[in-house]
Amino acid sequence: MPGDGSAECWAESTLTMITIVTVVLPVLLSVLVGVTVFSRDIEHGTHVLGLSQSVGRARWYWTRVLVVFVPVVLAMAVLGSALQWTRTAAVGPNFAFVSSSSYFGHSSLTFPLFQSTGLIAGAYTALALVLGSLVGLLLRNTLGAMTVTLIAMAALLVGFQVEARPQYATPVVESQPLGYNRAVTYTPDTEAVWTLSSGYVDAEGRGVDMDYAACSTTGSESGWEQRPDETFAEYESRQDAIYAAQDREFTACQRAQGIDRFETRYHPGSLFRRFQLTEAALTLALSALLLIPSMWAVRRLRP
């Protein structure tokens, strides 16, 4: 029945599946639409009829771009916007409100949430279609153009995620004193963060790989059981002393390895809009640049 837990799981799984599909669609569209809009005609020679008419080459190119590409880009933007709205609304009677910067504990700056929003889905689709059409115009072979476009588009998506996006802002560096440390996953206001890296560093900030085996015996002494002549308050006090000694021993073992502190580098979810606008601008700028060699390739076509 709705709201009994299984319905919530079904709703979350459905949203996750649609999110993945939305991320993959630009890659598929680059191959199935971007490449074929020109390459099939060129491969079969039917482009000669169009170029032999009074219509100029530029008009022949831009007509297809406007008629085919623009509706597809708008459709992807609408799909991404609807998906983003669904994630920011209550999706069931037992679901808490989900903020725009996180979704079920995951930062919206991370894959695949970031790529499946309306702005980015539309921008990626525009890039995918222009890239596919350019490769089709250059290679003039549908199968070869599909292969090259698939590899190039996948590389671009990975490049934005791994190399470009972390550089959109200076990451927050949060340091923790030595001890039993964990990476920062939430800000004080329970906002999920995009953790870039976390680990132990020395006094100069260089990463140190801690040898946990060397510190595995800390706190292994006996004495944890309550003694017959010991009150519970005395037992708790002695336990606290054992824990404190264990922490000091573990910290001393860390310092012996040259470790100074534990650092987490992350981007807070509050940067979501800024990152969206930055990546969309970069993606659309790259799409515009690809139009230049596309027009050059159109001029090289022989009617």
Side-chain angles (χ1 to χ4, degrees):
M1 58 182 296
D4 64 356
S6 60
E8 294 175 357
C9 181
W10 177 85
E12 184 179 353
S13 299
T14 302
L15 282 175
T16 301
M17 181 184 66
I18 298 174
T19 297
I20 297 297
V21 171
T22 305
V23 172
V24 174
L25 267 177
V27 179
L28 297 179
L29 290 171
S30 69
V31 172
L32 301 178
V33 179
V35 170
T36 59
V37 74
F38 293 113
S39 68
R40 285 193 179 277
D41 283 351
I42 296 173
E43 197 173 34
H44 295 93
T46 54
H47 71 290
V48 175
L49 178 61
L51 295 180
S52 300
Q53 306 301 316
S54 58
V55 177
R57 291 171 182 263
R59 184 176 177 182
W60 175 79
Y61 173 80
W62 286 108
T63 298
R64 297 200 176 195
V65 168
L66 295 176
V67 171
V68 179
F69 289 0
V70 172
V72 174
V73 171
L74 293 178
M76 283 297 299
V78 170
L79 173 62
S81 298
L83 182 58
Q84 185 179 3
W85 175 85
T86 303
R87 288 199 297 255
T88 58
V91 293
N94 293 337
F95 272 62
F97 184 80
V98 182
S99 70
S100 61
S101 61
S102 62
Y103 175 68
F104 292 106
H106 301 283
S107 171
S108 289
L109 295 174
T110 59
F111 176 91
L113 300 177
F114 188 87
Q115 290 88 338
S116 58
T117 58
L119 183 61
I120 299 301
Y124 275 171
T125 302
L127 174 60
L129 295 176
V130 173
L131 175 64
S133 64
L134 170 61
V135 176
L137 287 168
L138 293 175
L139 297 186
R140 305 182 185 183
N141 177 279
T142 301
L143 184 59
M146 285 181 171
T147 303
V148 173
T149 301
L150 183 64
I151 296 173
M153 193 60 202
L156 283 172
L157 294 182
V158 173
F160 274 112
Q161 168 72 32
V162 177
E163 298 295 336
R165 197 174 307 146
Q167 312 302 322
Y168 295 165
T170 302
V172 176
V173 179
E174 185 167 321
S175 298
Q176 301 173 19
L178 293 182
Y180 297 92
N181 305 101
R182 297 181 61 184
V184 175
T185 54
Y186 291 91
T187 56
D189 57 355
T190 68
E191 181 181 63
V193 304
W194 178 20
T195 303
L196 302 178
S197 65
S198 62
Y200 293 104
V201 298
D202 60 17
E204 284 72 36
R206 296 186 296 265
V208 178
D209 292 327
M210 178 178 169
D211 183 5
Y212 287 91
C215 304
S216 62
T217 59
T218 59
S220 60
E221 68 277 0
S222 59
W224 292 96
E225 299 80 9
Q226 185 175 359
R227 298 167 183 169
D229 59 343
E230 191 176 42
T231 66
F232 185 73
E234 292 172 336
Y235 171 63
E236 281 191 321
S237 178
R238 188 166 58 82
Q239 267 194 326
D240 291 340
I242 292 176
Y243 282 127
Q246 182 182 26
D247 289 342
R248 288 194 299 270
E249 186 179 349
F250 187 75
T251 300
C253 179
Q254 291 176 310
R255 293 196 182 281
Q257 299 182 40
I259 300 174
D260 181 71
R261 60 190 181 275
F262 185 90
E263 282 189 351
T264 302
R265 297 171 63 253
Y266 67 88
H267 287 304
S270 58
L271 295 175
F272 175 70
R273 296 299 179 191
R274 172 180 171 182
F275 276 34
Q276 288 265 299
L277 292 173
T278 301
E279 187 147 321
L282 290 174
T283 306
L284 293 175
L286 180 57
S287 303
L289 287 176
L290 293 179
L291 292 174
I292 298 175
S294 296
M295 293 302 300
W296 174 81
V298 168
R299 287 197 296 269
R300 288 182 65 246
L301 289 176
R302 294 292 182 266

